[in-house]
Amino acid sequence: MKTLLAVLLFAGSTMGQTIAQAPDYPAIKRQTQLFETVLDTAVRQRFEYPFLVLQEAKGAYLEGYGVVFTMEVNLSPLQARTPFSALTYSDKELAVSRAQKLVRIKELETLIRDLMRDHGMGLNFLGADENVAVVVHLFNSAEQKDLPSQLGVQTKKQWLQEAAGRRLNAAEFRQKFSVTSF
């Protein structure tokens, strides 16, 4: 009798709890693909030649973490060398390329933050505590190995919601991002 009573009490206490719903993967896929397109288009339009997108943006949803977008770009391509040419880069070409790449990395960081602010709310499958991250792999030639090869920009969906609701000013919003470049 005590066992039956315990089972009934347990069953009654769990009746009010809802069973977690499985994520709506078709919606996640649509929203992720839309942000991929926004990211690709914005990067291509922002940087004119010489600039190459080596890998278009790809998004991946990680349940409990959020969504991560990756892409690869060459922010400052040098004249192409082939195995059949004896082309060497002058110190001036390398210095110009280096300076240009460092400036473009900062521009890319700003562009990604703006895209996340303006379009991140379209990722409505994310919970407030989940993350939106964009990782850009930066191609470096052999002469540029000391430059950053990766730029990561990340924030929580909560901060995107607060910015959309105008509860954060521009300076506060910029501080809500984690930016890593190495």
Side-chain angles (χ1 to χ4, degrees):
M1 181 73 168
K2 288 183 182 180
T3 306
L4 179 60
L5 183 59
V7 169
L8 289 175
L9 286 174
F10 176 74
S13 69
T14 59
M15 286 227 188
Q17 298 174 355
T18 59
I19 296 173
Q21 287 185 323
D24 182 359
Y25 291 114
I28 291 170
K29 185 175 182 177
R30 282 190 307 277
Q31 293 171 26
T32 301
Q33 288 173 335
L34 182 59
F35 194 84
E36 289 169 355
T37 302
V38 167
L39 185 57
D40 281 335
T41 302
V43 169
R44 288 179 196 277
Q45 289 177 350
R46 174 63 185 94
F47 298 101
E48 296 177 20
Y49 185 82
F51 172 74
L52 301 171
V53 172
L54 303 175
Q55 178 197 351
E56 294 180 343
K58 298 289 181 202
Y61 175 62
L62 306 169
E63 195 169 342
Y65 172 80
V67 65
V68 178
F69 296 90
T70 62
M71 68 186 309
E72 184 176 13
V73 298
N74 186 354
L75 291 175
S76 184
L78 293 164
Q79 183 179 0
R81 291 190 306 185
T82 68
F84 307 108
S85 70
L87 177 68
T88 58
Y89 302 118
S90 70
D91 289 341
K92 182 180 178 183
E93 284 176 304
L94 291 172
V96 167
S97 177
R98 176 185 195 74
Q100 184 181 49
K101 186 170 187 174
L102 291 172
V103 167
R104 286 182 169 184
I105 289 171
K106 282 308 221 182
E107 291 173 2
L108 183 60
E109 175 189 327
T110 301
L111 176 66
I112 291 170
R113 271 195 267 176
D114 291 348
L115 289 173
M116 291 168 84
R117 179 196 62 221
D118 297 343
H119 301 282
M121 288 304 295
L123 301 167
N124 60 21
F125 61 89
L126 293 173
D129 62 332
E130 289 188 302
N131 298 286
V132 179
V134 176
V135 178
V136 182
H137 299 277
L138 306 168
F139 177 81
N140 290 323
S141 65
E143 294 81 8
Q144 298 173 321
K145 291 299 181 194
D146 61 328
L147 290 174
S149 61
Q150 191 175 103
L151 171 67
V153 181
Q154 166 182 323
T155 193
K156 292 215 175 278
K157 176 75 181 273
Q158 170 188 352
W159 305 126
L160 298 175
Q161 291 169 328
E162 291 197 19
R166 307 273 190 243
R167 292 186 295 266
L168 292 175
N169 64 39
E172 291 170 328
F173 183 65
R174 276 193 302 276
Q175 293 176 349
K176 299 299 182 183
F177 283 89
S178 167
V179 178
T180 308
S181 179
F182 61 91

